Amino acid sequence: MSSDPPEVSRGSVNPQYEKLFREIEAKFKASSIPTEKWYLTALGAILPSSEPYMAGQLYLYLLSEPAYSTPDERKAITIRFKEVILKAVALLGIPKPAEAIASIEQVDGEELPFSREGWQCDEANHQRGVSWLQKMYAQNMPALLDLFKRHRDFGSAVCDIAYGLCLSDRQILDDVDTEIVVLPAVMSQNLPRMTYWHVKGCRRAGISKEDV
């Protein structure tokens, strides 16, 4: 059994993690993806890992940067950060995202607006989920829908919950933001079919082949 996750001190980033985060951030400076989005991919890879509580270290690192020094800037990055973790529930289930949320609570327990208040599992939600699936899967969509016909409970979970509730919601993260979270999250789970589909999904979201 693994040991308990380390306590995260307010304002303190482990030097080993800090070095890693700086290296990842630097890689984005050589791409056409806006550099400030680098942490989305980093967080997408951290969440499925054996150390999802590293999310707290990444959060601390971000808060130490000049770009997030004011209360409004801190609130904006916190909202985006927690949206990534919510979207990851569709990809990982509850346990690892919950570890990540707990690690952030050690640093900053600020209550945020409820982004899904009033959500309904209705036809509009279903169509939003299906539309996002169609954009990401394109010519692979008929085979996916055929599978859903044979496994309707699974199809409903994918269309209405994973995509309708979580991944297709664009209130906070746009299409590119979402895909640069999803791709590392599925790659980190060693899922070749899902990785292939979301490499294609990144391209369909408008990311260049080189940047993918």
Side-chain angles (χ1 to χ4, degrees):
M1 182 178 292
S2 61
S3 59
D4 291 337
E7 292 294 318
V8 179
S9 301
R10 288 175 181 267
S12 174
V13 183
N14 181 302
Q16 180 181 355
Y17 292 148
E18 183 175 5
K19 180 176 182 294
L20 173 62
F21 298 149
R22 290 194 187 283
E23 290 173 353
I24 297 170
E25 187 174 8
K27 288 181 182 294
F28 270 70
K29 292 178 180 177
S31 78
S32 63
I33 299 173
T35 304
E36 69 271 13
K37 294 179 183 283
W38 73 271
Y39 71 89
L40 298 171
T41 289
L43 185 54
I46 286 169
L47 291 169
S49 78
S50 60
E51 299 182 23
Y53 46 80
M54 195 196 305
Q57 290 284 306
L58 177 58
Y59 184 66
L60 271 179
Y61 177 83
L62 289 171
L63 294 187
S64 72
E65 294 197 315
Y68 308 114
S69 58
T70 71
D72 285 346
E73 290 164 343
R74 287 170 65 95
K75 183 175 182 179
I77 194 66
T78 302
I79 289 172
R80 287 171 62 79
F81 204 90
K82 291 188 176 181
E83 176 69 10
V84 172
I85 297 173
L86 177 59
K87 287 186 184 298
V89 170
L91 308 167
L92 305 170
I94 292 291
K96 289 189 174 184
E99 285 280 0
I101 285 289
S103 74
I104 295 170
E105 284 298 300
Q106 291 181 250
V107 180
D108 188 345
E110 180 183 359
E111 185 175 350
L112 296 174
F114 183 16
S115 65
R116 303 306 198 277
E117 187 171 9
W119 175 79
Q120 297 288 324
C121 188
D122 55 17
E123 183 60 23
N125 174 78
H126 178 79
Q127 288 303 320
R128 185 171 63 248
V130 170
S131 294
W132 182 242
L133 278 164
Q134 288 173 330
K135 180 173 183 177
M136 292 298 102
Y137 286 80
Q139 68 267 25
N140 301 118
M141 189 65 179
L144 195 64
L145 290 177
D146 196 47
L147 175 65
F148 293 168
K149 289 176 183 177
R150 298 193 300 274
H151 304 278
R152 293 176 63 189
D153 287 337
F154 181 77
S156 177
V158 171
C159 294
D160 300 331
I161 306 300
Y163 278 81
L165 173 62
C166 296
L167 296 177
S168 70
D169 191 293
R170 296 175 175 85
Q171 297 178 78
I172 299 168
L173 301 180
D174 63 25
D175 294 2
V176 169
D177 294 340
T178 298
E179 278 305 296
I180 64 175
V181 168
V182 173
L183 180 57
V186 297
M187 287 179 70
S188 298
Q189 297 177 77
N190 192 28
L191 303 172
R193 183 178 290 107
M194 296 295 110
T195 297
Y196 172 78
W197 282 344
H198 284 284
V199 164
K200 295 282 192 181
C202 282
R203 295 287 287 115
R204 291 169 184 140
I207 305 172
S208 73
K209 181 179 179 180
E210 292 73 21
D211 288 341
V212 173

